[in-house]
Amino acid sequence: MQLFAVGPGEVGFFASGPMASGVFAVGQHATGVFALGQIATGAIALGQVSTGLIAIGQLARGGIAVGQLAIGLAAIGQFAVGVAWAGGIGIGGTRGFGLVLGLFPSTSIQSARATLRWRWNRLRGIPHDRPVTEPPPSWRIPAATGATAGLLLLWWYIAGQALLDATR
């Protein structure tokens, strides 16, 4: 591997060119640990169509995705689909800021936190009163679990397989 690679399809630590591949890659179809380009693929990808563990761009997909149309495990964007969390405008397992439909209601999350804290304190021998929480409707948790599984499946077909292919 070269230290500096410039040209189409060249591989180097610092790579630049239309099909750049390297640790730091800049180009139209950049692939690398840090990739910057129109179609960027890498651990940290910045580009119009970016795929990576951290992806930032118009069509971002990956673990943490930020962009106009973002799909990720955690996503922020104009239309964000986040399996665990979403912010901006979109849908997610839990709700961040903006106009987000959170599949699991915040009361359920706060109730689960209070119950876990109570159980943890009991294990350590700290006296604490059991939290009194109002349970959500009986249909809400199974529906949210099924919808989140659907989001995970959607994420896998759009981003997960692409991330798996990028690591091979």
Side-chain angles (χ1 to χ4, degrees):
M1 179 194 305
Q2 304 174 50
L3 182 59
F4 295 100
V6 178
E10 293 291 325
V11 178
F13 190 79
F14 296 100
S16 176
M19 302 284 290
S21 294
V23 176
F24 294 94
V26 178
Q28 188 170 4
H29 292 273
T31 303
V33 177
F34 300 97
L36 175 64
Q38 188 172 3
I39 301 172
T41 303
I44 298 175
L46 302 164
Q48 190 172 1
V49 180
S50 57
T51 303
L53 296 176
I54 299 173
I56 301 171
Q58 281 185 322
L59 302 171
R61 60 187 183 169
I64 298 172
V66 179
Q68 286 182 336
L69 295 171
I71 183 166
L73 298 176
I76 301 171
Q78 282 184 335
F79 184 73
V81 176
V83 176
W85 182 87
I89 300 172
I91 185 170
T94 57
R95 179 174 182 212
F97 58 88
L99 300 172
V100 179
L101 170 64
L103 298 173
F104 288 97
S106 60
T107 55
S108 295
I109 294 167
Q110 290 168 355
S111 170
R113 280 186 193 157
T115 302
L116 287 173
R117 188 178 310 116
W118 174 73
R119 289 188 186 277
W120 176 248
N121 286 338
R122 266 188 67 196
L123 286 173
R124 295 186 306 161
I126 299 173
H128 193 270
D129 292 336
R130 184 177 184 128
V132 178
T133 57
E134 186 175 323
S138 61
W139 59 269
R140 182 71 190 249
I141 298 300
T145 302
T148 303
L151 285 179
L152 183 61
L153 191 65
L154 177 71
W155 175 84
W156 175 252
Y157 282 111
I158 293 175
Q161 288 181 337
L163 285 172
L164 189 62
D165 291 342
T167 59
R168 290 183 186 171

